[in-house]
Amino acid sequence: MRSYDSKAHRHTRLRQDTQPFQRGIIRHVVLILDLSAAMAEKDMRPTRYLVTLKHATTYVREFFEQNPISQLAVMVMHDGLCHLISDLSGNPTHHITAIQSLRNPVNPRESPREPKGNPSLQNALEMARAQLYHTPSHGTREVIIILGALLSLDPGDIHKTIAACARDRLRVSIIGMSGRLKICQEICERTNSGSDASYNVALDEPHLRDLLMSTTTPPAIRSGATEGTAEDGAAGPVGASLLCMGFPSRTITDAPSLCACHGTLSRGGYTCSRCKAKLCSLPATCPACGLTLILSTHLARSYHHLFPLRNWIAVTWKRAREKGTVQCAGCLIKFPTIPMGAGVDDVGGSRRDKGKGREDEVMENGGESQEERERDQLSKELGASESSRYECEACEGHFCIDCDIFSHEQMHNCPGCLSKPAFSTVMEEDGNELANGTANGMNGLNGAS
Amino acid sequence: MNAIDGTTSSFHVRSTDAPPPSLLVIVLDTNPYAWSLLADTLPLQNVVANLLVFINAHLAINHANQVAVLASHTHCVQWLYPPPPPPLPTDSTGDVLMTEPDQPDPTPHPPTDDANKYRPFRLVEQQILSNLRSLLTSSPPSSHTTALIAGALTTAMTYISKATLLASPVAAPTHTHTTSSVLPTADAINAPADASTAHDPLSSRILIVSVSGDLAAQYIPVMNTIFAAQRNRVPIDVLKLAGDTVFLQQASDATGGVYIAPGLEVGAGKKEGEDAAVVRAQGILQYLMMGFLPDAAARKWLVLPGAEEVDFRAACFCHRKVVDIGWVCSVCLSIFCEPLPDATCLTCGTYLALPANHNVAPAVVPRKKKKKKRLPDGGTPRPGGSTPAGSTPGGGTPMR
């Protein structure tokens, strides 16, 4: 997610975002850190332990940035045991303080926790399973383990634990720091319906960070029996449900009053829509009536996972001349001049087959198989553009690579599509987001049905 | 050698101590319908004239300050300054990229004399006025009555991201704008995320001058831009002259911008309030100068104006009602104002289970029945029933 390794990065990003998956937006995640003796290794500077703590802190922030209505718990594997250091909750500062207090305990009498002993994956999984046991069925249950050691010292049969985890719909991702372990691979395979894509070994610190950050994206929902109790075969995740939520407004009162969540005096706050209890921060569960209180912006933050922006394709010189674009439609930067006349053949000669106009291409591809067309499309999306232009197929605007990356990674909007009234009328009429070059988001959501 | 060292170090010190240049992107809502409603009290030309003064003030504060102006019209989003691309591809300059890091406005016009201090003012004014005039005269009568704020904001954000990229020291030597300048993006993006903005050379902000309401159709795109702005620490300031949109208020709240609605403040009575609103709205220059001129660096030390109470209620997807308690689909996060009749999400078509207790009326503890005296004979109609017939007295019909 965060590696910006020029073209390679564009590739990975494109591969990720092309298909709109149905994603588990409401997540319940247990983050398990290794605090065994192996974490004192110095192959990552200063030690693996400190590097992990640093990234775990940023991870918590990023996680709640991306998944505001999700919940997280943090555990550590220390000296054969697994300790819960912060409960399942949606408050990032709570987790960050807990992670930081590993090294700098709040209570001065406690000694900071240093890496010690061996980790136990079984204990960790059992503990995570217990922690996630009561979570509602519409949310995902995920376990993310950062494992530095090359062993797991277990009190019992870990295979039984793995089976129990799979039965309870846990999805385990493991990020190793030393080498691949068969048992980790098995855990990931068994809990992710046979795919071990969630088991990765970090090569170095940036890689570790990337692996960790890639888990902030909500996971795609799998349809299938492994997910558990979908007997009726209905589309959607197991136990999709309608949730009652409150959208409180922020109020300022003249006189300070106590908040229901912490009991501190404050003038501002949010009042629960149902019972009018005052809370100081959102998202939260009303302590008085138990209603889930969120801001509508929290929901909106997840929409781009559901309606991803359509990929832009590389523009050939011929197409560029057809459109005659000289500037990026987003940032007004100038494109390289289109070579005139004979120069075209020299430059674009090697790519003549790809360099045909869109109409030609459609004609030509008419008889080809769907698969070939898809492959052709993919190569168009993946390739670097010879003319430094990238085209949004919905609005036919041309953009530079920077705007391409910015629009797809951060904004999830197409500047061109949104600047045309036709698109906004589509939106007004249909009431959904077919505009904005989104890659048929709704169909994607319906995909399983 | 010493002299050289001295000059370089002093140069460095000066460059870091100087206030960072700031880029101001103004999104001017040019919705003709909304402006025609305001024509009596606050005509567009007044606002534009005041905006030009404001722009000049912004440019005068710091030599390196930049400005960009976007018109968010009903049928298109148009650059007013820097000028929009020429209609014909008559680009004969062989120079690929003529923007220098010091002068990132990619104007295709002859380079300006930096020695002449007032030339930038004149250039900006000329460009904005002529472009606005051509936009207004050329716009066809259209049926769209809402301004394309989402498009304008998106374009503004791409422009800001590119300007930040060009201004960052890493990107300065790159003269190709293709893949080689991707790496600096990473720095620009990652910097606010984990490290600090210490070396962020360009602070940008967006000012929306909005007159039209109703952004419901553009909700998701607007929200996306808000989050992008939040991530890149771009405050979105809003000057709301008329109309009412909840989302712009949320935009400025989420990004730490200033929200001023001079025409909409609560008056004592309706009539009196209207008059006061008109008067207040006519002091637009003062609002601009006092509320929106300070840049991000200066705002840290100021008490900012702004609405303290923010309406965070959401609009439901089914009836567009504004609700404060809603039902949310766990798959697509659509908001509905009431439990769905056939338990199927209207947006994604998923079957949604309702929580078991959602429409169960709270139970009332039943009154304790008085124990009736057991009849002396014919008590138990049920043969072989071992239980005493206390529960079904009399004629055998259970009393409920």
Side-chain angles (χ1 to χ4, degrees):
Chain A
M1 199 67 188
R2 287 297 190 96
S3 74
Y4 289 85
D5 205 328
S6 64
K7 279 191 241 165
H9 176 57
R10 191 176 132 85
H11 289 200
T12 52
R13 192 253 305 148
L14 285 166
R15 291 310 293 266
Q16 277 169 7
D17 279 359
T18 315
Q19 306 96 338
F21 288 120
Q22 182 178 320
R23 292 184 183 276
I25 297 292
I26 302 171
R27 307 171 68 187
H28 303 96
V29 177
V30 176
L31 177 68
I32 301 179
L33 307 176
D34 189 356
L35 241 70
S36 65
M39 296 300 279
E41 287 278 337
K42 289 188 167 51
D43 57 349
M44 290 185 191
R45 294 279 158 188
T47 60
R48 284 184 187 175
Y49 174 51
L50 296 180
V51 166
T52 310
L53 287 193
K54 188 178 89 187
H55 289 315
T57 316
T58 50
Y59 175 78
V60 171
R61 277 208 197 90
E62 179 72 19
F63 178 84
F64 284 105
E65 182 98 345
Q66 296 282 327
N67 310 284
I69 50 178
S70 300
Q71 304 216 311
L72 187 74
V74 185
M75 299 178 183
V76 292
M77 295 184 287
H78 183 244
D79 202 8
L81 299 177
C82 185
H83 303 275
L84 180 69
I85 62 165
S86 73
D87 257 326
L88 202 61
S89 82
N91 186 351
T93 48
H94 178 64
H95 299 300
I96 290 172
T97 3
I99 291 173
Q100 281 167 347
S101 69
L102 282 174
R103 291 222 65 218
N104 310 306
V106 185
N107 186 348
R109 274 174 300 181
E110 285 178 19
S111 56
R113 225 173 252 196
E114 288 301 326
K116 189 188 169 195
N118 291 312
S120 164
L121 286 176
Q122 191 191 8
N123 280 344
L125 287 178
E126 284 291 355
M127 187 123 176
R129 197 164 71 90
Q131 186 74 18
L132 295 173
Y133 187 74
H134 69 281
T135 55
S137 61
H138 55 76
T140 63
R141 298 172 175 176
E142 297 167 63
V143 179
I144 295 161
I145 304 178
I146 302 178
L147 186 69
L150 277 172
L151 64 118
S152 166
L153 194 71
D154 296 330
D157 184 2
I158 192 171
H159 295 281
K160 282 184 188 155
T161 305
I162 298 173
C165 288
R167 202 171 49 238
D168 283 355
R169 300 194 299 115
L170 258 66
R171 305 170 63 142
V172 184
S173 322
I174 301 181
I175 299 170
M177 294 170 98
S178 324
R180 283 185 81 86
L181 294 180
K182 179 75 176 94
I183 188 66
C184 294
Q185 192 179 348
E186 191 173 333
I187 292 172
C188 292
E189 274 180 8
R190 292 279 299 277
T191 55
N192 288 287
S193 29
S195 139
D196 68 341
S198 59
Y199 179 40
N200 290 293
V201 175
L203 304 173
D204 51 5
E205 192 184 331
H207 191 211
L208 173 74
R209 184 193 151 87
D210 286 351
L211 288 176
L212 196 55
M213 289 306 165
S214 69
T215 58
T216 54
T217 310
I221 296 282
R222 285 195 193 87
S223 65
T226 49
E227 284 289 332
T229 54
E231 289 97 354
D232 54 354
V238 179
S241 56
L242 205 55
L243 315 168
C244 190
M245 290 185 179
F247 304 99
S249 290
R250 195 165 69 203
T251 50
I252 304 283
T253 51
D254 290 335
S257 57
L258 296 174
C259 73
C261 41
H262 304 96
T264 48
L265 271 180
S266 60
R267 282 182 61 227
Y270 303 88
T271 48
C272 170
S273 334
R274 188 151 69 189
C275 66
K276 308 287 177 229
K278 195 173 89 168
L279 285 90
C280 35
S281 69
L282 293 185
T285 308
C286 173
C289 66
L291 184 68
T292 313
L293 298 175
I294 52 165
L295 298 180
S296 51
T297 48
H298 290 139
L299 294 181
R301 203 179 271 282
S302 302
Y303 285 144
H304 72 258
H305 294 302
L306 304 168
F307 315 114
L309 181 57
R310 179 183 297 182
N311 283 323
W312 296 347
I313 56 168
V315 175
T316 56
W317 283 120
K318 172 155 187 187
R319 175 76 182 148
R321 192 163 48 251
E322 257 174 48
K323 299 287 292 179
T325 47
V326 292
Q327 278 177 314
C328 167
C331 63
L332 299 185
I333 202 101
K334 275 204 171 188
F335 287 134
T337 321
I338 304 164
M340 289 297 167
V344 183
D345 288 335
D346 294 344
V347 178
S350 57
R351 306 186 187 179
R352 276 303 289 253
D353 49 340
K354 278 170 67 183
K356 299 198 161 56
R358 281 152 60 89
E359 287 78 12
D360 301 346
E361 207 142 329
V362 170
M363 293 289 286
E364 211 176 66
N365 288 347
E368 290 177 15
S369 68
Q370 176 75 21
E371 197 178 309
E372 277 178 36
R373 237 175 303 163
E374 272 176 10
R375 201 183 314 136
D376 189 44
Q377 180 73 16
L378 195 67
S379 72
K380 268 203 288 187
E381 286 174 357
L382 293 186
S385 172
E386 60 182 2
S387 59
S388 302
R389 293 159 169 86
Y390 294 88
E391 178 175 315
C392 169
E393 289 182 289
C395 65
E396 304 194 345
H398 286 185
F399 301 92
C400 65
I401 179 81
D402 295 327
C403 287
D404 183 349
I405 289 179
F406 181 75
S407 300
H408 283 92
E409 299 247 314
Q410 304 205 16
M411 197 147 55
H412 314 286
N413 277 347
C414 171
C417 296
L418 292 174
S419 305
K420 291 188 176 177
F423 290 93
S424 57
T425 46
V426 169
M427 290 172 74
E428 276 160 25
E429 282 161 9
D430 292 358
N432 59 27
E433 284 61 45
L434 293 175
N436 192 15
T438 47
N440 53 11
M442 287 310 162
N443 298 338
L445 287 175
N446 287 340
S449 63
Chain B
M1 283 304 281
N2 285 341
I4 292 170
D5 285 348
T7 48
T8 48
S9 66
S10 72
F11 171 73
H12 272 291
V13 166
R14 209 186 52 192
S15 68
T16 48
D17 278 359
S22 68
L23 165 65
L24 170 68
V25 181
I26 299 178
V27 174
L28 178 62
D29 181 353
T30 54
N31 183 354
Y33 301 94
W35 281 111
S36 69
L37 290 179
L38 282 176
D40 297 339
T41 57
L42 190 68
L44 176 60
Q45 53 264 39
N46 273 12
V47 174
V48 171
N50 286 331
L51 261 185
L52 289 177
V53 176
F54 173 64
I55 289 170
N56 287 351
H58 170 75
L59 291 176
I61 275 187
N62 188 338
H63 178 69
N65 274 1
Q66 303 157 29
V67 72
V69 185
L70 269 165
S72 128
H73 209 59
T74 48
H75 73 284
C76 64
V77 171
Q78 184 87 35
W79 283 102
L80 298 183
Y81 181 86
L88 286 173
T90 53
D91 187 17
S92 58
T93 53
D95 202 5
V96 169
L97 185 69
M98 74 305 167
T99 45
E100 292 294 323
D102 293 351
Q103 183 222 341
D105 282 350
T107 50
H109 286 263
T112 56
D113 262 346
D114 279 339
N116 190 346
K117 192 174 153 190
Y118 294 104
R119 193 170 160 77
F121 288 4
R122 197 172 57 78
L123 255 180
V124 172
E125 282 179 17
Q126 235 175 10
Q127 286 289 347
I128 291 176
L129 288 179
S130 67
N131 286 328
L132 184 61
R133 196 170 291 122
S134 67
L135 170 70
L136 292 180
T137 49
S138 70
S139 63
S142 75
S143 57
H144 311 291
T145 52
T146 53
L148 297 166
I149 287 286
L153 273 177
T154 309
T155 317
M157 281 307 296
T158 48
Y159 185 79
I160 285 175
S161 89
K162 178 51 81 70
T164 314
L165 195 65
L166 290 175
S168 70
V170 194
T174 59
H175 277 277
T176 55
H177 57 278
T178 52
T179 51
S180 62
S181 57
V182 172
L183 279 170
T185 332
D187 294 343
I189 291 161
N190 284 337
D194 43 16
S196 63
T197 51
H199 68 94
D200 196 348
L202 184 72
S203 68
S204 314
R205 63 186 198 272
I206 298 177
L207 168 64
I208 305 176
V209 180
S210 167
V211 287
S212 47
D214 181 35
L215 286 176
Q218 306 172 32
Y219 177 64
I220 290 180
V222 168
M223 280 300 170
N224 283 342
T225 39
I226 291 174
F227 299 134
Q230 202 177 13
R231 247 186 124 104
N232 292 286
R233 309 227 168 141
V234 175
I236 298 180
D237 300 336
V238 180
L239 178 62
K240 191 81 191 144
L241 294 174
D244 189 16
T245 54
V246 179
F247 306 136
L248 288 185
Q249 199 180 4
Q250 291 182 6
S252 71
D253 179 71
T255 55
V258 176
Y259 182 88
I260 299 182
L264 295 169
E265 277 165 29
V266 191
K270 183 153 172 62
K271 187 78 182 84
E272 190 188 344
E274 269 178 12
D275 285 348
V278 168
V279 173
R280 276 200 291 263
Q282 280 167 344
I284 170 175
L285 184 60
Q286 190 169 358
Y287 282 107
L288 287 171
M289 289 299 202
M290 298 296 156
F292 300 112
L293 194 55
D295 62 357
R299 282 182 193 185
K300 273 184 249 171
W301 312 104
L302 297 175
V303 179
L304 295 174
E308 290 183 318
E309 304 209 351
V310 183
D311 189 352
F312 279 115
R313 287 176 303 167
C316 75
F317 286 29
C318 44
H319 307 96
R320 298 258 168 230
K321 267 194 283 186
V322 176
V323 292
D324 59 357
I325 292 186
W327 296 85
V328 178
C329 166
S330 75
V331 176
C332 65
L333 302 182
S334 310
I335 304 165
F336 303 104
C337 55
E338 55 198 9
L340 299 160
D342 52 351
T344 308
C345 174
L346 300 177
T347 313
C348 64
T350 318
Y351 174 78
L352 296 172
L354 278 169
N357 57 352
H358 90 278
N359 55 2
V360 178
V364 180
V365 178
R367 199 175 184 176
K368 218 172 192 177
K369 287 174 213 148
K370 276 180 190 166
K371 262 196 179 165
K372 282 197 178 170
K373 241 191 229 169
R374 195 187 293 176
L375 292 177
D377 55 349
T380 61
R382 223 173 274 162
S386 60
T387 49
S391 60
T392 57
T397 50
M399 239 171 74
R400 284 275 150 169

